[in-house]
Amino acid sequence: MDYYGNDNNGSGGFQNDPFSPGNDPSFSGGWDNGPSMNGEDPNHHNKNKRSRKPMSPKQKGAVKIVALCLVCALLGGLAQPIYSSLSGGNETTIYTGDRTPTQVDTASVDTSKELTTAEIYAKYVNSCVGITVDIVSTNVFGQTVTGAAAGSGFVITEDGYILTNYHVIDGANSIKVTFDNGKEYTATYVGGEEKNDIAVIKVDATGLTPVVIGKSSDMLVGEQVTTIGNPLGELTFSESTGIISALDRSITMSDGRQMNMIQTDCAINSGNSGGPLFNSHGEVIGIVSAKYSSGSNSSSASVEGLGFAIPMDDVASMVSDLVKNGYVTGKPIMGISVADVDESVTSYGVPQGAIIRVVTPDLCGAKAGLQAGDIVTKIDNTDVTSASDLTSAIGNYKPGDKVTLTIFRSGETKTVEVTLEESTPEKTEKQNQAQQEYQQEYQQSQQQQQQSQQQQQGSSGWPFGSFGY
C-alpha cells in the first residue's frame, strides 16, 4: 500500500509515494548518488565514509510515517488525536488543539498591575453603555424635524451618573441607555459643557460598576490603549485596541473650535463618540470624541487610524462640577456670538477680528452697549484677529472681571468696557435661543440679504449689512 492507498500489485514498493526517493528528482540515483545537502559533488565520495545500504520497504515505511507525523505536528502544533491510528490500513488521523480556554476572574483584576485587553473588557464592559437619542431640530423652512443618533458612554458613579460627549446628546428629545446585560434605561440630562464636548446624563439605577479614572498626563506616546463602544450605532460593546500615536494634538473641530486631544490608532467610527479610552491598567485616561474625515461632510470617507480622545486631565474638574451643580462653575460669559471676518471684505478697509453676529438681550454684552456687526480687534492688550482668539482670551478671565474691548463699528474704532458674568444654564440657554433665532432668520432670508448686499456695495454707506457681511 503506497502513500495514496494504492496496492502497487503487492510489490510493497513506493513507486507512487511522494516521499519515495525514486519519485523525487532530488533523489535521482538512489540515496547515495543524489545531490549532497552541503553542496558536494554527488560523484565525489569521502573514502572514510561508509556507503549506505539500500533501505528495506519496512524501513522506508517508517520514514514515511515519521515524515507524516512531522508535517502534522508543524501544521497543528501541540495537538491530541481525535480519530484513529497510523498503524496500517488506509485510515486518517485528525488532530485538534488542546489549549485550555482563558479564564478571567474579574474579582482579581487590579489596576495596580497591567491588564490584558481581555481582562479590561471582562472587568469594564458592564461599565460601558450604548446611547441612542431622538433629536428634534428645525429645518431651513422652519419645520420641526425628528431624527435619531447613537453614541457611547461610561458609568462614573455607582448611582447612575454617566459621562459622554456633548455632541452625542445635543438637541436630544429623549435619551436611551443600554447596558451589556440587556437592561435599558431612560436617561435624564444633568449638564454639559459644549466647548469641551462633555456631558453628564443619569439613569435611575444603583449598584452599578463605575470605571476608574486615571491621569492622562502620565501617558506616553507608544503606550497601549483600549476602547469599548458602539460603532455605527449597531455593533454595541465592541472592543478595539491600539497605541497612543501622539499627545497634545491641537485639533480644529467642524465648528472651528480648537481642542487639545490624544491621538490614537484604535479603530474609531461613528457611534464610538463618548466611549472610554483605557490605559493598560484599565484606567480611563480619555473620552473618545472624534475621527479625521477626508471631507467636511460627515458622510464622506474617513481617514483610518486617526482617532482622537479628550484627555481626562482637561475635563476631570468639569465633570465633578456637572455632577454636583449641573454646570461648570466659574466660567465667564460675555453674552455674544462671534465669527471670523470674511477675507473678501478686508479690501474695503475692514480689519481682521471677531465679528459679533448675535448680542443676547439682558446679558453683560448687551448691557455694555455691544452691537451686532461690531468687530472686536483687541481685548485689553491682547490682539484679536479671529473668533477663536477672542473666545480663548475670555477663558483666561473670571466672572466679575472687567475687560476693555477695542471694536470697529461703521468705519470708526471705539472701546467698550464689559463686566463679565458667570455662565449658568439659564444664561447659556438664553444665548442659545438667541443664536437659533438668528440662524432661522438668516436661513430664511439669505437670498434676499445677498441681493441687498450687492446693492449696498455700490453705495457709499456701510457696505456689509447689519451683521457685517
Side-chain angles (χ1 to χ4, degrees):
M1 185 74 67
D2 65 17
Y3 174 73
Y4 292 100
N6 298 318
D7 183 73
N8 294 311
N9 299 320
S11 63
F14 287 78
Q15 288 85 351
N16 295 320
D17 190 335
F19 292 98
S20 170
N23 282 336
D24 190 333
S26 64
F27 289 91
S28 60
W31 286 92
D32 286 332
N33 295 326
S36 170
M37 298 300 288
N38 59 9
E40 293 178 356
D41 186 340
N43 297 318
H44 177 75
H45 297 276
N46 190 322
K47 294 181 179 180
N48 293 326
K49 292 183 179 178
R50 296 176 59 188
S51 61
R52 299 174 181 171
K53 294 181 179 180
M55 300 180 67
S56 68
K58 184 176 181 180
Q59 290 173 316
K60 293 179 182 179
V63 171
K64 178 187 70 172
I65 294 174
V66 170
L68 284 172
C69 292
L70 178 59
V71 171
C72 291
L74 290 174
L75 293 176
L78 296 176
Q80 294 293 331
I82 62 171
Y83 175 70
S84 202
S85 68
L86 293 168
S87 58
N90 57 358
E91 295 178 343
T92 303
T93 300
I94 301 174
Y95 290 85
T96 183
D98 63 351
R99 173 181 176 271
T100 302
T102 301
Q103 301 294 326
V104 178
D105 181 5
T106 58
S108 65
V109 173
D110 183 358
T111 58
S112 65
K113 64 178 182 179
E114 289 195 351
L115 309 176
T116 66
T117 53
E119 288 175 327
I120 292 173
Y121 187 86
K123 181 68 175 179
Y124 292 113
V125 66
N126 292 326
S127 306
C128 302
V129 300
I131 299 174
T132 55
V133 299
D134 290 329
I135 298 176
V136 178
S137 60
T138 304
N139 63 17
V140 294
F141 304 105
Q143 300 170 328
T144 300
V145 179
T146 301
S152 305
F154 53 97
V155 177
I156 55 176
T157 69
E158 293 182 0
D159 56 346
Y161 285 92
I162 295 169
L163 182 60
T164 186
N165 283 144
Y166 185 88
H167 75 260
V168 169
I169 52 82
D170 186 21
N173 186 49
S174 64
I175 306 172
K176 296 289 185 182
V177 170
T178 304
F179 284 80
D180 180 54
N181 58 11
K183 289 186 178 180
E184 185 178 274
Y185 298 86
T186 297
T188 56
Y189 173 72
V190 176
E193 217 284 312
E194 183 176 8
K195 180 181 177 182
N196 290 282
D197 198 20
I198 57 172
V200 172
I201 58 178
K202 190 178 187 304
V203 296
D204 187 13
T206 57
L208 302 179
T209 303
V211 299
V212 176
I213 304 298
K215 291 184 178 180
S216 55
S217 57
D218 290 342
M219 301 304 294
L220 299 173
V221 173
E223 287 197 86
Q224 181 172 297
V225 286
T226 300
T227 184
I228 301 173
N230 183 21
L232 308 183
E234 300 176 356
L235 305 175
T236 52
F237 309 106
S238 296
E239 181 180 40
S240 64
T241 187
I243 62 168
I244 291 181
S245 304
L247 296 167
D248 300 320
R249 282 288 196 214
S250 180
I251 301 300
T252 302
M253 309 304 289
S254 58
D255 60 1
R257 289 177 296 118
Q258 295 283 330
M259 292 189 68
N260 176 49
M261 292 282 196
I262 297 171
Q263 180 184 330
T264 177
D265 66 351
C266 285
I268 292 174
N269 293 280
S270 300
N272 278 112
S273 292
L277 187 69
F278 296 98
N279 62 16
S280 60
H281 290 263
E283 301 168 330
V284 176
I285 49 86
I287 308 168
V288 175
S289 179
K291 181 180 182 179
Y292 256 172
S293 176
S294 59
S296 58
N297 190 334
S298 60
S299 64
S300 61
S302 295
V303 180
E304 297 302 325
L306 290 178
F308 298 92
I310 303 167
M312 283 304 303
D313 288 3
D314 291 359
V315 297
S317 62
M318 299 180 192
V319 173
S320 297
D321 263 354
L322 291 175
V323 171
K324 183 178 180 181
N325 304 301
Y327 68 97
V328 178
T329 60
K331 286 181 54 185
I333 190 173
M334 192 177 288
I336 60 174
S337 299
V338 296
D340 293 341
V341 174
D342 195 312
E343 293 181 359
S344 65
V345 304
T346 56
S347 59
Y348 292 91
V350 177
Q352 289 185 324
I355 184 169
I356 299 176
R357 287 184 169 174
V358 181
V359 179
T360 306
D362 302 324
L363 296 186
C364 56
K367 294 174 184 178
L370 294 175
Q371 300 176 11
D374 290 345
I375 298 175
V376 181
T377 60
K378 185 177 289 189
I379 178 170
D380 289 335
N381 295 320
T382 302
D383 291 333
V384 174
T385 60
S386 65
S388 60
D389 285 348
L390 181 60
T391 54
S392 296
I394 292 175
N396 297 323
Y397 294 90
K398 303 184 300 296
D401 288 346
K402 292 183 178 181
V403 298
T404 299
L405 300 181
T406 301
I407 64 171
F408 182 82
R409 177 189 296 171
S410 299
E412 297 180 1
T413 300
K414 300 181 178 182
T415 59
V416 177
E417 186 176 79
V418 182
T419 301
L420 300 177
E421 300 176 0
E422 182 176 35
S423 176
T424 64
E426 294 76 19
K427 294 176 181 178
T428 300
E429 177 59 29
K430 184 179 291 187
Q431 183 161 317
N432 290 339
Q433 183 177 354
Q435 290 176 351
Q436 291 174 2
E437 291 174 357
Y438 160 72
Q439 290 171 354
Q440 291 174 8
E441 293 174 0
Y442 175 73
Q443 291 169 351
Q444 292 172 358
S445 62
Q446 187 175 17
Q447 292 181 348
Q448 291 83 348
Q449 287 180 357
Q450 289 175 347
Q451 294 174 358
S452 176
Q453 289 166 11
Q454 292 173 358
Q455 295 174 356
Q456 291 176 359
Q457 287 175 2
S459 66
S460 58
W462 172 251
F464 309 111
S466 60
F467 292 106
Y469 287 101

